Amino acid sequence: MEMFGYDFASVLYQYFVETKQLKSLLTEFPNYHVYLDKFFSTGRHGRISWIRDIEDGDYTKASKTLADVALHSEDLNSNSKLELSIAKLSSLAGNPSRQDDDANDLLTSIEARVEVLSIQESVLEQVEGYANAETGLRYQIHSNDLISGIKDSPAHAEIVKRGLSRVAQKKQLTAEELIDVLTLMDTTTKDSRLNFFRALQVLNVPKAVTRNRTLTEKLIWRRLLLRDDWQQIVDTKLQSDSKVKAISEKTILYQTLKECAIASEQSTGSDVRDKFLSDLSTEIVLNPALLVDSALDTSKLSERFPKLDSLKLNQIESELDADTAALQNLVKNFTLGFWTQGIYSTVQASRSTDRMNVD
């Protein structure tokens, strides 16, 4: 080893990697660990090098390495979750007093990604019943059964199909892809009706949404408001208050706002606005005309949907224009703002009453 130097050592180390002789890689030639450090410094062997970092007591470095592997090199959810769990333990071991700001930021990032993975797992539970029974292949989902609500929007339907395919294969989605699946797939079950709340959870996970957060936030609310049957709600206008309240409480908007309020109270002890509803989200709920008056920045679509070609992006833009027209109709002819304000106030009053009863 000494005679031939690093050139020979790197070839030998690569051989150990390729033949899965990891014990030999990590323990042989202890007097030449400087060569092993140089070999690992290339960044191509993070799945192995973190073990060496642990042995050396460099827990923070091990945590960074594992987090990077989980976030950028891993495809399967299960592997990523395991790597992130070990990364979290390493981060805590390397920063027991929580005084290192960089280490704290890393820990926040790790916990955020674990939360996103857990939400993706909830989608898998929802779609398992749609697996292809004929072939027995779990990853073949009858996607058309899950996108009936957007059957007239083929570009958006393709986004959901692609996302559901990865979900069924237990492969990671980006935060943006997960939000698209949550807000575009059908909400036919009680659990799936909470998907818009889950989308807001993903949106609020620190550093999860990296591509145009404002556009993504507006897309969530556009899709939510177009999902409820506002004709049914408007038809209650001359009915009793109790009837109106009962129907309003069945809307996805009400259920989403209620879950936001509960989650915020559990986290901060305060009301719905503090955590899950940004200023923009609150403004949209109280005045949905903003979604019509303030047009989407379609110049950002290629950034928001990086896997789509120019033809699909044009289709997306056309379908978004149709959604804008539908929203405009709701605002103008269904007094949408009146109803969303009422539902928002009902949620606030309900949570206030519940808190008083608990006290």
Side-chain angles (χ1 to χ4, degrees), residues 77-90:
N77 274 7
S78 55
N79 291 351
S80 183
K81 210 165 186 179
L82 175 60
E83 289 156 354
L84 289 170
S85 296
I86 299 173
K88 180 177 179 178
L89 291 174
S90 299

Side-chain angles (χ1 to χ4, degrees), residues 67-81:
D68 185 67
V69 169
L71 294 174
H72 302 114
S73 302
E74 195 58 73
D75 201 28
L76 292 176
N77 274 7
S78 55
N79 291 351
S80 183
K81 210 165 186 179

Side-chain angles (χ1 to χ4, degrees), residues 129-145:
Y130 294 89
N132 193 323
E134 295 178 1
T135 63
L137 295 178
R138 182 188 186 95
Y139 60 83
Q140 290 188 351
I141 286 182
H142 295 298
S143 301
N144 290 335
D145 296 335

Side-chain angles (χ1 to χ4, degrees), residues 320-339:
L320 289 175
D321 288 341
D323 287 346
T324 299
L327 280 168
Q328 191 168 23
N329 178 55
L330 290 175
V331 169
K332 182 178 179 181
N333 299 319
F334 289 76
T335 58
L336 182 62
F338 169 82
W339 293 104

